[in-house]
Amino acid sequence: MKFLFKFIVITSFFQLLIAKELIYVPLPINHEESVIEDNKIFIDYVSKVINKPIKIKYIKKYDDIIKEFKENKIDLIQIGPLPYVTLKSEFSQIEPILFFKEKGGIDKYTCAIVSTFDGPTKVEEINSKIALTQPLSTCGYFLASYLLKNKNIDIDAIGYDYLGSHDDVIEHIILDRYKSGSVKTSVAEKYSNMSIKIVAESELLPSFVLAVNPSAIT
């Protein structure tokens, strides 16, 4: 209810003050075409509610998203727990207005360490470089290092590479360029028919939020 109230207040504010086209940036979880398609229905709905045009802009790197948000080049943003905390510490004006629901209608999600059919079957078997998304991705170094450390494995000792999106990580594992990687669980599940299996899963995390940049509209 708190976030619904915020959404109503913010959208009313938009209606009163904004004549320009709004810029919305979703998280680069998947490849550009998929991200834009996945967000189109939602953004079309928000656009109708506030009676303002909204453009979906895909930005590949999390640090570039944060940079442009701080420069007031982004009005609305989809953001996960770790990048939100990072951005909030540098730009206190950011205002979350609602949680995105995951499959099943819950406002929580998990991250997973994954491999292929002939890869590690449990965390203890991981002994080679692991594929990660991006430094500011919640499912990247942050959760991967935690899940590995729980089994007494030092991620810095085995090594890791940042590849970009969650799709990029999965595709490199399928191509056998890496034996394991860390991604959002729901992304891994999309590739289950391509022999991607979940080796370890995190605890529930707060879902992505839709946040507004008040400074961009003044």
Side-chain angles (χ1 to χ4, degrees):
M1 184 63 70
K2 175 183 176 183
F3 282 95
L4 177 60
F5 176 73
K6 280 187 178 182
F7 181 68
I8 293 171
V9 171
I10 294 295
T11 52
S12 298
F13 189 52
F14 280 150
Q15 290 174 319
L16 288 172
L17 296 183
I18 300 177
K20 68 171 186 176
E21 176 183 65
L22 300 179
I23 302 298
Y24 165 71
V25 175
L27 283 173
I29 296 294
N30 308 112
H31 295 317
E32 181 173 356
E33 297 79 8
S34 297
V35 170
I36 291 176
E37 182 64 28
D38 289 345
N39 282 271
K40 190 176 186 306
I41 293 177
F42 168 69
I43 289 304
D44 285 347
Y45 171 75
V46 174
S47 179
K48 289 178 181 178
V49 169
I50 66 176
N51 194 30
K52 300 294 176 186
I54 302 176
K55 177 183 178 181
I56 301 175
K57 181 179 180 180
Y58 183 87
I59 300 177
K60 190 172 184 178
K61 295 183 178 180
Y62 285 69
D63 49 359
D64 288 338
I65 293 175
I66 289 177
K67 178 176 179 290
E68 291 199 21
F69 194 90
K70 290 163 59 179
E71 292 174 348
N72 298 326
K73 295 178 180 178
I74 298 171
D75 302 291
L76 295 164
I77 188 175
Q78 178 192 44
I79 193 164
L82 181 59
Y84 174 78
V85 170
T86 301
L87 181 53
K88 183 70 173 178
S89 68
E90 301 175 6
F91 191 83
S92 61
Q93 298 96 313
I94 185 174
E95 186 68 34
I97 55 178
L98 61 81
F99 281 106
F100 285 90
K101 296 288 187 179
E102 296 292 321
K103 186 177 180 181
I106 64 171
D107 56 0
K108 300 284 191 296
Y109 75 101
T110 61
C111 301
I113 290 181
V114 301
S115 68
T116 55
F117 71 96
D118 61 346
T121 59
K122 52 186 178 180
V123 174
E124 294 92 325
E125 295 175 357
I126 297 175
N127 56 15
S128 60
K129 189 177 289 187
I130 186 170
L132 302 179
T133 49
Q134 300 187 42
L136 289 178
S137 169
T138 308
C139 291
Y141 183 94
F142 178 70
L143 255 301
S145 61
Y146 172 77
L147 291 172
L148 289 170
K149 187 176 181 180
N150 280 346
K151 298 300 181 180
N152 298 314
I153 298 174
D154 182 357
I155 192 172
D156 295 309
I158 63 172
Y160 56 88
D161 285 328
Y162 291 119
L163 304 183
S165 73
H166 296 239
D167 279 342
D168 289 329
V169 169
I170 294 290
E171 289 168 6
H172 276 71
I173 293 172
I174 291 173
L175 293 171
D176 202 31
R177 293 171 181 165
Y178 296 86
K179 292 298 183 183
S180 61
S182 181
V183 297
K184 189 179 180 186
T185 304
S186 60
V187 175
E189 291 171 343
K190 291 193 309 179
Y191 291 88
S192 60
N193 63 340
M194 300 182 73
S195 300
I196 290 295
K197 62 185 179 185
I198 294 173
V199 175
E201 190 172 359
S202 74
E203 299 173 356
L204 288 171
L205 302 165
S207 187
F208 298 164
V209 299
L210 176 68
V212 65
N213 182 354
S215 299
I217 60 176
T218 57

